[in-house]
Amino acid sequence: MDELKKIAPELSKIKKENPFRVPENYFEDFSARLHERLEAEKAGVHRNQNRIIQFLKPAIGLAAGFALIFTLSYWPLRIFTPNEQAKNLSTGNSESEMLYASWVEGIDENSFYAMLDNPNGSVNFTDDDLADFVNTNSSEYDIYSETEN
Amino acid sequence: MDNSDLDLIAGLKNEKTRDLAFNSLVKKYQERLFWHIRKIVMDHDDADDVMQNTFIKVWRSVDKFREESSLYTWLYRIATNESLTFINSNKRRSLIPMNDTSEFLMNNLASDAYFEGDKIQKRLQEAILKLPEKQRIVFNLKYFEEMKYEAMSQVLDTSVGALKASYHHAAKKVEEYLKSRD
């Protein structure tokens, strides 16, 4: 204060008071108004979160739609065409199995019977080879009817 | 930091007691902060807006308060920054040159319905409004609020020496203005 008197004597003579006033009950009402704004602020945060969901909604809907279509089309197929499905599943044979199958299928019927008639021929068949041939070229019904005769 | 402020901070950082603690903080500091803001923006309605913005910012950033400074200086710092941001954005909107703040604030003072000081008080306010922005804030904090330089240093992020010099220059300029209009 003494320092102020030295550097600003006129200023130090002025009574130090607040020349401004506020409307009646301003400070009493301020908290309530602030509270309202805070609530709006909190709601705004939620709105922003909802906005993200709104933004992602079409993409989520599209993905859900595809999932539904896939389920609805795949399920009945699986239920009503089990053989087709099984066939599809059995295509996963190994390479050696496929080579063996093509060799067995490659033998024509005439040469097979000619070989059976000539047991001293140069080609030797094992019992397994024969069983494979029969299994590949004849159904269970054919085998049954042949053995009955 | 006094114990009640420590309790307030603990309450604010706890999700369950946050609303109650925030209410207490507003009640405790609203008047001091309002007068600080009011002397920067020079209009009641603007001061009301800025004070709301200040408390909203406090609410949002209370988790970031590191307790390195006191709660009181932290609040003053936010209030000061919000006031200056408000003035600058208002100036931009009104196309007022950035260095012409005093003219803009002088108009606010002239049309202020809530100013009830006498002639001398009005002249003092005019003299203060002629000061550069930072000197004006330093002068108001020291002259009217009698804030200690150490606390002011935390509020304005300026060294105590620079603040003392700033107040000295401000007081001299105010004195000259008062003498020149006698």
Side-chain angles (χ1 to χ4, degrees):
Chain A
M1 197 67 198
D2 287 341
E3 197 200 332
L4 189 69
K5 266 183 193 167
K6 258 188 255 169
I7 58 169
E10 285 297 314
L11 175 63
S12 60
K13 275 186 222 163
I14 297 174
K15 198 179 166 194
K16 221 185 264 186
E17 59 186 5
N18 184 3
F20 303 100
R21 64 180 172 86
V22 289
E24 213 173 323
N25 297 325
Y26 171 72
F27 291 116
E28 288 78 5
D29 298 342
F30 179 79
S31 318
R33 286 188 299 113
L34 180 69
H35 183 73
E36 270 174 35
R37 207 177 136 186
L38 258 181
E39 289 304 313
E41 179 87 5
K42 286 180 200 168
V45 172
H46 288 300
R47 240 196 331 270
N48 280 345
Q49 285 168 347
N50 288 341
R51 218 173 277 164
I52 294 167
I53 294 168
Q54 289 285 335
F55 180 72
L56 291 175
K57 233 180 192 174
I60 295 168
L62 212 62
F66 277 125
L68 190 70
I69 290 166
F70 178 75
T71 312
L72 288 176
S73 53
Y74 180 72
W75 239 69
L77 274 175
R78 214 177 147 187
I79 292 168
F80 296 117
T81 57
N83 293 338
E84 196 69 25
Q85 297 293 318
K87 206 185 277 178
N88 288 341
L89 286 172
S90 65
T91 52
N93 292 335
S94 68
E95 205 175 331
S96 59
E97 282 174 329
M98 286 177 69
L99 274 171
Y100 185 69
S102 67
W103 176 79
V104 171
E105 281 169 9
I107 303 170
D108 66 282
E109 221 167 310
N110 291 334
S111 53
F112 178 69
Y113 285 118
M115 275 185 278
L116 285 179
D117 290 339
N118 182 17
N120 299 323
S122 57
V123 180
N124 291 322
F125 286 99
T126 62
D127 289 344
D128 287 339
D129 292 341
L130 287 173
D132 280 333
F133 177 81
V134 172
N135 278 336
T136 312
N137 292 287
S138 315
S139 67
E140 279 177 24
Y141 177 77
D142 291 338
I143 296 165
Y144 178 74
S145 59
E146 285 297 324
T147 49
E148 282 300 299
N149 293 333
Chain B
M1 210 181 307
D2 67 38
N3 284 338
S4 64
D5 277 359
L6 288 172
D7 290 343
L8 273 179
I9 294 164
L12 285 166
K13 290 194 172 179
N14 184 340
E15 198 76 37
K16 287 176 189 164
T17 54
R18 189 179 244 199
D19 283 343
L20 195 68
F22 186 71
N23 205 34
S24 305
L25 173 118
V26 173
K27 290 260 184 248
K28 184 175 177 182
Y29 286 106
Q30 61 175 356
E31 211 160 323
R32 287 162 82 183
L33 287 181
F34 177 82
W35 293 122
H36 173 60
I37 296 165
R38 179 71 157 93
K39 287 188 187 96
I40 300 175
V41 298
M42 297 303 286
D43 178 85
H44 171 77
D45 293 331
D46 291 347
D48 181 59
D49 281 347
V50 173
M51 187 154 79
Q52 286 196 34
N53 293 346
T54 300
F55 279 117
I56 297 283
K57 199 153 200 180
V58 169
W59 170 268
R60 279 195 209 137
S61 50
V62 73
D63 287 327
K64 293 176 205 154
F65 177 54
R66 285 170 295 175
E67 296 170 52
E68 285 165 2
S69 60
S70 66
L71 181 63
Y72 144 78
T73 55
W74 184 60
L75 294 173
Y76 263 76
R77 193 184 173 106
I78 295 174
T80 308
N81 290 339
E82 285 296 312
S83 305
L84 296 177
T85 305
F86 180 85
I87 288 177
N88 289 334
S89 63
N90 246 13
K91 274 195 297 189
R92 267 196 297 274
R93 269 204 299 273
S94 329
L95 301 172
I96 294 167
M98 290 306 273
N99 55 356
D100 208 2
T101 317
S102 70
E103 199 65 34
F104 163 72
L105 295 173
M106 209 72 98
N107 289 338
N108 274 358
L109 177 66
S111 59
D112 191 351
Y114 297 106
F115 182 85
E116 56 176 20
D118 56 19
K119 226 174 156 187
I120 295 171
Q121 289 294 340
K122 190 152 191 183
R123 273 174 48 211
L124 174 60
Q125 286 303 320
E126 284 170 1
I128 296 167
L129 289 179
K130 289 274 176 197
L131 297 172
E133 200 163 72
K134 187 119 184 225
Q135 271 185 22
R136 192 159 63 86
I137 295 168
V138 172
F139 184 83
N140 279 331
L141 286 174
K142 190 70 197 161
Y143 181 79
F144 288 108
E145 300 186 36
E146 297 177 353
M147 187 184 273
K148 287 184 176 146
Y149 284 117
E150 286 73 20
M152 214 189 292
S153 169
Q154 288 183 355
V155 173
L156 300 173
D157 202 15
T158 309
S159 70
V160 170
L163 290 170
K164 281 181 180 173
S166 193
Y167 179 67
H168 183 88
H169 289 305
K172 281 201 134 185
K173 282 182 194 170
V174 169
E175 179 73 5
E176 276 166 30
Y177 185 86
L178 292 173
K179 277 181 179 167
S180 70
R181 298 292 293 263
D182 272 339

